[in-house]
Amino acid sequence: QRMIKDFIHIIKQSILNRKLRTGLTLVGIIIGIAIIVLLISLGNGMQNAVEYQFAKMGITSIRITPGHLHGPPTGAIGLDKELVRHVEKVRGVDYVNEVLLNFATVGYGHETQFLMTIGYDTELSDKGFIDTDLQLQAGRFFNLNEKNTVIIGAGLANDLFDKKIHVKNSITLNNKKFKVVGILEETGLDIDNRLYLPLTTARELFDKPEAVNTM
């Protein structure tokens, strides 16, 4: 015990005699701990942000496209329709969203634009849109078995034509009249300048009764 008391006394004297060095050491320890806590917090925050962004993109979704594809799928390249049925039978698959992509001449007023269209299966209702984080700024999603209607991107609605397009306005696709039932919120992606139409209508419009470009 005498030895322990002597050690404690020496430590006290050392601290008192070297107050500046002791103070700087304590400050260094405090700053070091604070930096470690800050880095851990930043790391966790960044991880949460990345996970959130991936979740918005559909982290549980898989896109199947034709092999050796360069750029987005188009009407010129397709998949075997039977492949859709095989994928639907895979364990763990919730649903398969068949997509038919084609370019079309889109007219509004006295102007036209050549734009990508997306044939969407109305049997999914709004599920496919919500699962890919597409939200509406106006209007509604498709009703079951709906025809000759479109949902358009924010860029198409606001920027591509001299006059803005609103819900209930009519546009033409390859000279056929369609009613705008919904306008998507802006995403900052190329989807802003595209439009959705019911899959059955797309098959008729482009004369592709069995085609699937991606799913």
Side-chain angles (χ1 to χ4, degrees):
Q1 288 183 345
R2 175 73 179 177
M3 186 178 293
I4 294 174
K5 289 181 179 179
D6 289 341
F7 276 125
I8 293 174
H9 178 72
I10 292 171
I11 291 170
K12 286 182 178 179
Q13 289 298 117
S14 178
I15 291 174
L16 291 174
N17 293 335
R18 298 176 178 83
K19 292 181 180 179
L20 179 60
R21 188 176 69 177
T22 302
L24 290 175
T25 302
L26 290 174
V27 169
I29 293 171
I30 293 170
I31 292 174
I33 294 172
I35 291 174
I36 292 171
V37 172
L38 178 62
L39 289 174
I40 292 173
S41 299
L42 288 173
N44 290 337
M46 185 174 295
Q47 180 178 340
N48 292 336
V50 170
E51 289 177 354
Y52 174 71
Q53 291 299 322
F54 272 105
K56 289 182 67 176
M57 291 188 295
I59 193 64
T60 60
S61 300
I62 297 174
R63 175 176 293 184
I64 301 175
T65 60
H68 308 294
L69 184 68
H70 300 284
T74 64
I77 303 175
L79 294 168
D80 185 349
K81 190 79 174 342
E82 279 301 306
L83 183 59
V84 177
R85 306 286 81 87
H86 287 301
V87 174
E88 286 176 332
K89 295 176 183 178
V90 174
R91 183 179 179 181
V93 172
D94 183 16
Y95 67 95
V96 177
N97 186 2
E98 303 174 40
V99 176
L100 180 62
L101 303 176
N102 283 277
F103 282 96
T105 300
V106 180
Y108 182 60
H110 300 291
E111 300 175 87
T112 59
Q113 297 280 350
F114 195 59
L115 303 173
M116 175 73 79
T117 69
I118 304 170
Y120 179 84
D121 187 356
T122 59
E123 291 186 6
L124 294 176
S125 184
D126 53 358
K127 182 174 179 61
F129 289 106
I130 292 174
D131 285 350
T132 51
D133 198 43
L134 292 177
Q135 306 293 331
L136 289 170
Q137 63 169 265
R140 61 172 175 81
F141 291 117
F142 292 121
N143 293 327
L144 181 64
N145 298 325
E146 191 166 29
K147 290 188 174 183
N148 301 330
T149 57
V150 291
I151 296 172
I152 64 176
L156 196 165
N158 300 318
D159 303 322
L160 292 189
F161 295 93
D162 288 341
K163 186 179 179 181
K164 290 186 177 182
I165 304 175
H166 301 281
V167 171
K168 297 184 179 180
N169 285 160
S170 293
I171 64 175
T172 60
L173 272 68
N174 291 353
N175 297 318
K176 185 173 182 179
K177 189 175 180 180
F178 287 77
K179 181 181 178 181
V180 177
V181 296
I183 299 174
L184 297 171
E185 288 186 354
E186 185 175 0
T187 65
L189 305 173
D190 55 3
I191 197 71
D192 291 341
N193 294 329
R194 296 182 181 180
L195 60 85
Y196 288 83
L197 70 160
L199 182 59
T200 53
T201 303
R203 295 196 188 286
E204 295 172 2
L205 183 67
F206 301 108
D207 192 23
K208 295 178 179 177
E210 295 295 327
V212 175
N213 302 125
T214 185
M215 55 178 142

